[in-house]
């Protein structure tokens, strides 16, 4: 288990959660979108939430601003989190607009507020688990979407709750976080999603 658990920290790295949420959303609302539109949305998410952050990470690493893709040090989180805020603002303003993708729009809006809270924590030298923040927010989104669309499918929600527990165990096994940091990350991931859930549920 000691060798297997860290794998989940990479599979559910925060950088991939936006893509997972978008795939889930498009899959369960497939009747509303053409295949071309789906590919167009996924390409935007790929570029804005994965490729740009990776390139920015490589730049920061080359200049010595960060030393790991997991960004263990609180002091190294400020610049990546600020970038993440701008990327989420770009998404909700230009790409994932409320008129076309209302549920996904509020998911990214919630993710933006979670990122702002994580940034505030960093400013006060409080280390919150970004893994737990991203995954717990995604879990609430899936539970909300399942209820909203009346899918009557509890399996995805149960799976993500299980994965949240496994990722928490993974972060503890890797000695990346204390239990308190995991709780803080979970809280700031869940709270904004719950607040915005009332606007579209």
């Amino acid at each position: 288990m000691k060798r297997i658990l860290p794998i989940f920290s990479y599979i559910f790295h925060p950088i991939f959660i936006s893509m997972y949420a978008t795939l889930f959303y498009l899959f369960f609302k497939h009747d509303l979108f053409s295949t071309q539109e789906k590919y167009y949305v996924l390409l935007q998410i790929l570029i804005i939430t994965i490729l740009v952050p990776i390139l920015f990470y490589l730049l920061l690493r080359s200049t010595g601003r960060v030393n790991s893709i997991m960004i263990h040090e609180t002091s190294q989180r400020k610049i990546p989190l600020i970038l993440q805020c701008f990327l989420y603002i770009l998404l909700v303003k230009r790409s994932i607009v409320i008129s076309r993708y209302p549920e996904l729009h509020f998911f990214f809006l919630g993710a933006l507020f979670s990122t702002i809270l994580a940034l505030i924590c960093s400013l006060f030298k409080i280390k919150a688990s970004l893994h737990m923040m991203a995954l717990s927010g995604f879990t609430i989104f899936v539970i909300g979407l399942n209820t909203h669309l009346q899918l009557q499918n509890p399996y995805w929600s149960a799976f993500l709750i299980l994965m949240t527990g496994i990722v928490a165990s993974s972060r503890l096994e890797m000695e990346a976080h204390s239990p308190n940091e995991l709780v803080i990350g979970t809280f700031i991931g869940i709270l904004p999603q719950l607040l915005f859930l009332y606007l579209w549920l």
Side-chain angles (χ1 to χ4, degrees):
M1 284 298 289
K2 288 185 177 181
R3 293 184 178 181
I4 295 174
L5 278 176
I7 295 173
F8 289 93
S9 285
Y10 291 95
I11 295 174
F12 292 100
H13 191 282
I15 201 172
F16 299 127
I17 297 299
S18 294
M19 181 61 79
Y20 295 158
T22 305
L23 283 167
F24 186 89
Y25 177 77
L26 294 176
F27 178 78
F28 282 103
K29 295 196 74 174
H30 59 90
D31 292 339
L32 296 179
F33 312 114
S34 66
T35 301
Q36 183 178 1
E37 184 177 4
K38 291 177 186 177
Y39 285 134
Y40 178 68
V41 170
L42 289 172
L43 181 61
Q44 290 182 80
I45 300 299
L46 174 66
I47 293 171
I48 295 173
T49 68
I50 297 179
L51 295 183
V52 171
I54 287 175
L55 291 173
F56 197 72
Y57 161 76
L58 293 174
L59 175 63
L60 290 175
R61 181 152 189 174
S62 68
T63 57
R65 298 274 185 166
V66 298
N67 52 26
S68 168
I69 196 168
M70 295 297 180
I71 315 181
H72 298 297
E73 299 296 327
T74 308
S75 59
Q76 297 178 358
R77 293 179 166 207
K78 296 171 188 175
I79 296 176
L81 286 172
I82 290 172
L83 171 69
Q84 195 66 33
C85 287
F86 281 113
L87 293 177
Y88 280 141
I89 291 170
L90 177 63
L91 276 176
V92 298
K93 282 284 189 180
R94 299 294 181 183
S95 300
I96 311 300
V97 293
I98 191 171
S99 58
R100 183 61 178 158
Y101 316 100
E103 301 91 349
L104 194 60
H105 175 87
F106 283 116
F107 166 75
F108 282 115
L109 205 55
L112 169 61
F113 276 77
S114 292
T115 306
I116 292 171
L117 290 173
L119 177 59
I120 292 171
C121 287
S122 295
L123 294 175
F124 286 95
K125 298 183 179 180
I126 300 171
K127 186 180 180 184
S129 172
L130 301 182
H131 279 76
M132 298 306 293
M133 179 188 82
L135 188 51
S136 62
F138 177 37
T139 302
I140 295 300
F141 172 67
V142 169
I143 292 171
L145 198 62
N146 186 53
T147 303
H148 180 60
L149 300 179
Q150 298 181 337
L151 299 175
Q152 304 299 324
N153 183 356
Y155 301 111
W156 279 109
S157 302
F159 171 75
L160 287 174
I161 291 171
L162 175 64
M163 287 300 104
T164 301
I166 291 176
V167 169
S169 299
S170 173
R171 303 309 287 156
L172 289 173
E173 179 63 35
M174 295 174 72
E175 298 182 352
H177 291 288
S178 68
N180 284 342
E181 292 166 354
L182 296 177
V183 171
I184 293 170
T186 302
F187 179 76
I188 65 177
I190 288 176
L191 184 60
Q193 293 296 337
L194 283 177
L195 292 175
F196 284 113
L197 204 63
Y198 288 103
L199 297 179
W200 61 268
L201 194 58

